[in-house]
């Protein structure tokens, strides 16, 4: 991105009794900005300015005076305003009144810093004479008349920049003098210059050392200091086999929500208070041995590490974790709001057997993620199986990154049966990963990982495209009265993409898919996680003519009364209800109630997970619209599904 152009205005006073001279100066300098050529000249003479570039230009503001007395009044007024003149061009002959030298004397009395150029057509002025008259010639130049435009431009460029540098030097000098005066006043009572120097150096070194090993936000020790103390603790543990060391890796759950909703400033305030609670929590614990040094460290973001050195027994570490989680869960007052958070903690223990601090940190981190995956707001103790699982997951993540481009994914199809006719009405498209070493990887294993990594977005787009293309192939093979539909699962991450609806519309057009034959299956929990946002997205999809299905209905926390809020065409009753259908009459009543409600809301109902003849018999008694499950067929590859489509075999013969 190009940086914005910046202009620096510098004031110049022209003192001459000739009106034409003023006009010439205004033509040369007035309203013009420093050209790249002059910028290069200034840089060559005085060195480049900080941030100097072709877009950082100087603009001159010119003012005129026709006599020395008038010039003095303007200079005094400019100084009083705080906008002094940088440079004055002074003519040597200005009758009546002061001549040029008298004018310069008065101007320097009013503003010693103003740069002066003597403009004269005579040769009787020399540096020796100027030095004798003024005592110095710094800030003074002589310009012989007649002069050309380039001379004026160059002098204005060089002298105004010199004035600017001198001003910066004076400001810096005053700052340094003020700093020295302040420190001298504080140390004046010692009357010992050597002692003053030692104290100053030690203070500076202590501050540098503190800054190098502490977190700037919370003032807790940082990773560098933690690693040093860990090394020391491990060395001590080697000499004392009974010495127990525990490392707790703590992460605040859903901290990103705080930042996104209240802002990063509120997030910082929460981290500062959380750090204080952790430190105070360690000081007040009476269940932990105080024979060693306990340290709380912030690694960055919302992660903290607690080092417990020399605890009495392994269970003490779990007690510390519980106590700290309890303290952190108390409400916070942040940005005028009451906020509550939880924390997940991973714990690793060692008794002299570990020599690698990085391994210790990695194991604690692994245990923390186990606690998060187990539901958050809890702690987990590291064991070796976690490391094995973590390595396996890492390998799976790496393989998953390349699975799409290596064409390892396949779309399987599970028939959806229309119960009234007994015919296949459509298919649900299901993703499968044919891993080169592991054969088919279960979707339950890799789909959550793809969600976390964000890969579900391109993968889901590919599945939708493949399913629509296959649907077009099948419907070209069938007579119009037997055309089928296809359902594709859509994840929360996909729906959150700003361009999702547009991409779906593009796929429909590219594949010549009849919109009404495509159903998008969205889980109940996804819809209810952000009802307002989902409602807008669903209505955009409905405008495309797509069928919308609420998947896994009954597993979320929504109310049945909310069904009329969303533009839904189909409810898919979760398989958990069907599994218990024949053993518990309550599930039978629930399914019947849902079917009745859906019918009153002009929705169709599909029952998932039908696996036995007894289950099917009950579903038929409810006059349900559609069903799918292993009783009819398991998910099959595209070739088997194509055979089902063209054979027109009733569902009874698929079982």
């Amino acid at each position: 991105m190009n940086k914005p152009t910046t202009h620096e205005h510098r004031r110049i006073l022209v003192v001459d009794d000739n009106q034409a001279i003023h006009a010439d100066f205004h033509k040369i300098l007035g309203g013009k900005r420093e050209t790249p050529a002059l910028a290069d000249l200034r840089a060559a003479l005085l060195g480049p300015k900080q941030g100097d570039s072709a877009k950082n230009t100087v603009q001159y503001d010119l003012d005129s005076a026709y006599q020395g007395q008038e010039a003095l009044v303007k200079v005094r007024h400019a100084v009083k305003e705080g906008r002094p003149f940088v440079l004055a061009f002074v003519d040597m002959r200005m009758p009546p009144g002061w001549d040029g030298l008298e004018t310069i004397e008065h101007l320097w009395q009013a503003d010693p810093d103003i740069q002066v150029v003597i403009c004269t057509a005579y040769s009787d002025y020399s540096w020796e004479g100027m030095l004798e008259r003024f005592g110095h010639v710094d800030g003074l130049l002589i310009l012989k008349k007649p002069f050309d435009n380039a001379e004026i431009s160059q002098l204005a460029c060089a002298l105004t920049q010199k004035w600017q540098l001198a001003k910066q030097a004076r400001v810096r000098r005053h700052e340094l003098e003020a700093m020295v005066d302040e420190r001298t006043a504080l140390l004046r009572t010692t009357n010992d210059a050597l002692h003053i120097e030692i104290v100053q150096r030690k203070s500076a070194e202590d501050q540098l050392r503190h800054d190098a090993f502490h977190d700037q936000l919370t003032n807790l020790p940082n990773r560098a200091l933690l690693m040093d103390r860990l090394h020391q603790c491990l060395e001590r543990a080697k000499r004392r086999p009974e010495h127990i060391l525990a490392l707790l890796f703590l992460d605040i759950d859903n901290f990103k929500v705080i930042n996104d909703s209240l802002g990063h400033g509120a997030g910082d305030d929460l981290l500062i208070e959380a750090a204080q609670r952790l430190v105070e929590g360690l000081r007040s614990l009476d269940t932990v041995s105080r024979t060693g040094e306990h340290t709380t460290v912030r690694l960055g973001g919302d992660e903290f590490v607690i080092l417990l050195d020399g605890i009495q027994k392994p269970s003490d570490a779990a007690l510390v974790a519980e106590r700290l989680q309890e303290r952190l869960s108390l409400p916070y007052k942040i940005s005028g709001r009451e906020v509550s958070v939880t924390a997940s903690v991973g714990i690793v223990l060692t008794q002299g057997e570990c020599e690698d601090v990085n391994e210790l940190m990695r194991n604690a981190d692994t245990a923390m993620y186990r606690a998060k995956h187990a539901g958050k707001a809890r702690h987990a103790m590291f064991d070796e199986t976690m490391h094995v699982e973590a390595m396996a997951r890492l390998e799976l993540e790496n393989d998953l990154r390349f699975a799409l481009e290596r064409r390892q994914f396949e779309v399987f199809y599970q028939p959806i049966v229309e119960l009234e006719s007994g015919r296949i009405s459509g298919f649900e498209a299901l993703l499968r990963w044919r891993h080169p070493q592991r054969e088919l990887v279960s979707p339950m294993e890799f789909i959550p990982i793809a969600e976390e990594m964000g890969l579900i977005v391109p993968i889901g787009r590919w599945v939708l495209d493949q399913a629509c293309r296959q649907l077009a192939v099948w419907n070209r093979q069938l007579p119009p009265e037997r055309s089928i539909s296809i359902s594709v699962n859509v994840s929360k991450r996909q729906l959150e993409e700003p361009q999702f609806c547009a991409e779906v519309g593009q796929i429909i057009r590219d594949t010549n898919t009849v919109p009404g034959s495509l159903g998008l299956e969205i889980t109940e929990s996804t819809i209810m996680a952000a009802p307002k946002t989902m409602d807008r997205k669903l209505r955009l999809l409905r405008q495309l003519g797509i069928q919308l299905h609420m998947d896994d209905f009954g597993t979320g926390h929504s109310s049945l009364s909310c069904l009329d809020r969303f533009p839904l065409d189909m409810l898919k009753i979760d398989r958990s209800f069907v599994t218990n259908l024949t053993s518990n009459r309550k599930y039978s009543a629930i399914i019947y109630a849902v079917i009745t409600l859906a019918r009153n809301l002009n929705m169709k109902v599909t029952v998932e997970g039908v696996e036995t003849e007894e289950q099917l018999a009950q579903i038929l008694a409810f006059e349900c619209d559609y069903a799918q499950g292993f009783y009819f067929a398991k998910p099959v590859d595209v070739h088997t599904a194509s055979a089902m489509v063209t054979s027109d075999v009733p569902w009874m013969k698929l079982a």
Side-chain angles (χ1 to χ4, degrees):
M1 181 181 293
N2 294 328
K3 295 182 178 179
T5 302
T6 59
H7 304 302
E8 183 180 348
H9 292 261
R10 297 179 183 176
R11 303 188 70 190
I12 296 177
L13 178 64
V14 180
V15 187
D16 199 300
D17 60 346
N18 188 340
Q19 176 69 36
I21 294 296
H22 291 278
D24 290 341
F25 272 94
H26 276 275
K27 288 179 181 178
I28 298 169
L29 299 177
K32 294 184 178 179
R33 297 172 183 152
E34 180 182 284
T35 65
L38 283 179
D40 293 341
L41 174 62
R42 168 176 50 74
L45 291 173
L46 302 171
K49 296 191 297 181
Q50 183 176 3
D52 209 357
S53 72
K55 293 192 177 182
N56 295 325
T57 62
V58 175
Q59 186 168 341
Y60 303 111
D61 293 338
L62 269 68
D63 202 347
S64 299
Y66 295 90
Q67 291 182 345
Q69 292 89 338
E70 181 186 359
L72 178 60
V73 170
K74 291 196 173 189
V75 168
R76 284 176 174 171
H77 185 66
V79 172
K80 185 177 180 180
E81 277 188 329
R83 297 177 58 249
F85 288 101
V86 176
L87 173 63
F89 289 91
V90 181
D91 182 42
M92 293 307 297
R93 308 290 183 181
M94 290 187 299
W98 303 332
D99 65 7
L101 295 181
E102 289 177 296
T103 299
I104 292 170
E105 285 180 329
H106 287 289
L107 294 185
W108 272 345
Q109 289 174 2
D111 184 357
D113 299 322
I114 191 170
Q115 304 286 306
V116 176
V117 176
I118 297 174
C119 302
T120 177
Y122 302 94
S123 59
D124 53 349
Y125 296 99
S126 65
W127 290 116
E128 291 77 8
M130 297 298 104
L131 183 62
E132 182 179 350
R133 174 73 179 254
F134 298 113
H136 69 90
V137 291
D138 184 40
L140 182 67
L141 285 177
I142 300 175
L143 178 63
K144 298 295 185 179
K145 294 182 178 180
F147 45 78
D148 59 31
N149 295 0
E151 289 181 293
I152 297 298
S153 297
Q154 292 171 2
L155 284 172
C157 172
L159 292 181
T160 57
Q161 179 63 11
K162 178 185 176 185
W163 181 91
Q164 183 68 24
L165 293 174
K167 177 185 175 183
Q168 294 173 355
R170 288 193 301 275
V171 171
R172 181 59 180 159
R173 184 171 64 252
H174 291 156
E175 291 176 349
L176 292 174
E177 289 173 353
M179 187 187 310
V180 171
D181 291 344
E182 182 181 355
R183 294 191 176 183
T184 302
L186 292 173
L187 300 172
R188 189 171 294 157
T189 56
T190 65
N191 233 351
D192 186 342
L194 180 60
H195 179 65
I196 292 174
E197 184 179 355
I198 292 173
V199 170
Q200 288 176 331
R201 286 185 178 181
K202 187 177 185 304
S203 176
E205 290 172 358
D206 289 347
Q207 187 62 48
L208 287 173
R209 189 178 298 107
H210 182 275
D211 292 345
F213 293 104
H214 288 79
D215 172 52
Q216 292 185 358
L217 179 65
T218 63
N219 205 35
L220 291 176
N222 61 13
R223 185 185 185 93
L225 184 54
L226 171 67
M227 301 303 275
D228 180 68
R229 291 184 178 174
L230 265 175
H231 278 292
Q232 297 177 27
C233 292
L234 291 177
E235 289 298 320
R236 186 161 49 248
K238 290 179 186 178
R239 298 190 298 270
R240 298 167 54 192
E242 75 283 0
H243 193 87
I244 304 176
L245 180 147
L247 199 66
L248 281 61
F249 201 109
L250 183 148
D251 184 89
I252 297 177
D253 299 325
N254 301 320
F255 179 72
K256 185 176 182 295
V257 176
I258 302 294
N259 277 338
D260 292 346
S261 57
L262 301 181
H264 289 277
D268 288 347
D269 291 342
L270 188 145
L271 290 174
I272 292 170
E273 186 172 344
Q276 186 63 29
R277 292 187 187 186
L278 291 175
V279 173
E280 292 173 353
L282 283 177
R283 288 174 180 170
S284 65
L285 285 176
D286 54 8
T287 57
V288 179
S289 168
R290 300 301 300 169
T291 59
E293 181 181 16
H294 303 328
T295 303
T296 304
V297 178
R298 177 172 177 249
L299 294 187
D302 57 338
E303 295 178 338
F304 297 86
V305 171
I306 297 94
L307 170 61
L308 305 178
D309 181 30
I311 60 177
Q312 292 180 338
K313 52 187 182 297
S315 59
D316 286 343
L319 292 174
V320 172
E322 292 171 0
R323 185 73 63 89
L324 295 180
Q325 286 176 304
E326 182 180 351
R327 292 182 66 86
L328 290 178
S329 66
L330 297 175
Y332 300 77
K333 197 71 173 180
I334 304 295
S335 298
R337 297 171 178 265
E338 191 171 273
V339 177
S340 296
V341 298
T342 59
S344 300
V345 183
I347 306 171
V348 62
L349 300 168
T350 181
Q351 275 186 276
E353 68 274 10
C354 180
E355 299 182 0
D356 187 346
V357 295
N358 291 311
E359 179 184 348
L360 204 62
M361 289 285 290
R362 182 201 67 201
N363 292 343
D365 188 28
T366 299
M368 184 273 292
Y369 275 104
R370 172 60 65 87
K372 278 194 176 293
H373 291 151
K376 303 180 182 179
R378 63 194 67 204
H379 65 269
M381 194 78 68
F382 175 80
D383 59 52
E384 284 301 324
T385 60
M386 290 185 185
H387 177 60
V388 174
E389 292 173 0
M391 293 303 295
R393 177 188 169 95
L394 179 62
E395 183 178 353
L396 195 65
E397 287 179 359
N398 290 334
D399 291 344
L400 191 55
R401 294 181 192 278
F402 303 103
L404 186 58
E405 65 181 68
R406 292 173 181 171
R407 300 183 179 181
Q408 295 174 357
F409 288 120
E410 297 180 27
V411 179
F412 274 43
Y413 301 89
Q414 185 173 31
I416 299 174
V417 174
E418 184 183 44
L419 295 178
E420 183 178 0
S421 66
R423 300 288 180 182
I424 295 176
S425 66
F427 291 88
E428 180 179 357
L430 299 167
L431 180 64
R432 295 293 184 265
W433 180 14
R434 196 172 293 280
H435 192 279
Q437 282 80 41
R438 300 177 55 184
E439 293 299 328
L440 283 178
V441 181
S442 169
M444 299 296 293
E445 185 176 355
F446 73 85
I447 290 294
I449 297 176
E451 286 269 4
E452 292 178 20
M453 298 172 67
L455 294 175
I456 197 64
V457 174
I459 293 174
R461 189 184 305 122
W462 177 84
V463 171
L464 181 60
D465 181 81
Q466 293 295 304
C468 287
R469 292 184 186 280
Q470 187 57 52
L471 177 65
V473 171
W474 285 334
N475 279 333
R476 283 197 299 269
Q477 298 172 349
L478 295 172
E481 66 274 10
R482 282 189 51 210
S483 64
I484 61 173
S485 63
I486 200 156
S487 301
V488 180
N489 293 282
V490 177
S491 74
K492 181 174 180 288
R493 288 290 293 268
Q494 288 177 267
L495 283 168
E496 290 172 346
E497 288 293 306
Q499 301 301 316
F500 175 73
C501 296
E503 289 176 352
V504 173
Q506 188 62 50
I507 289 174
I508 289 174
R509 290 188 293 273
D510 291 345
T511 58
N512 293 319
T513 299
V514 177
S517 64
L518 172 63
L520 296 185
E521 298 196 1
I522 306 166
T523 62
E524 178 186 1
S525 58
T526 295
I527 294 176
M528 297 310 302
K532 291 183 179 179
T533 301
M534 290 299 112
D535 185 49
R536 288 194 297 270
K537 285 286 180 76
L538 295 180
R539 293 190 185 280
L540 288 174
L541 293 170
R542 170 59 74 82
Q543 290 175 9
L544 296 174
I546 296 170
Q547 297 286 304
L548 299 176
H549 304 171
M550 180 182 278
D551 197 12
D552 298 339
F553 183 77
T555 59
H557 304 284
S558 63
S559 167
L560 292 177
S561 62
C562 76
L563 290 178
D564 63 339
R565 292 175 52 188
F566 303 106
L568 299 171
D569 302 287
M570 175 86 71
L571 291 183
K572 298 194 74 174
I573 299 177
D574 186 69
R575 67 181 63 251
S576 60
F577 291 94
V578 180
T579 301
N580 299 289
L581 181 61
T582 56
S583 59
N584 191 328
R585 296 180 60 185
K586 292 182 180 179
Y587 287 93
S588 176
I590 292 173
I591 293 176
Y592 180 73
V594 171
I595 293 173
T596 302
L597 176 63
R599 186 174 291 112
N600 290 331
L601 294 174
N602 294 320
M603 296 182 192
K604 300 292 185 178
V605 177
T606 298
V607 176
E608 297 181 293
V610 178
E611 298 184 357
T612 67
E613 189 172 348
E614 291 78 10
Q615 293 170 347
L616 177 60
Q618 292 235 32
I619 298 300
L620 288 171
F622 297 150
E623 298 183 1
C624 184
D625 301 295
Y626 305 98
Q628 68 182 101
F630 288 178
Y631 178 78
F632 307 107
K634 295 182 178 181
V636 295
D637 61 29
V638 64
H639 302 295
T640 306
S642 297
M644 292 179 178
V645 170
T646 55
S647 66
D648 192 26
V649 177
W651 57 261
M652 292 83 72
K653 297 183 180 179
L654 291 175

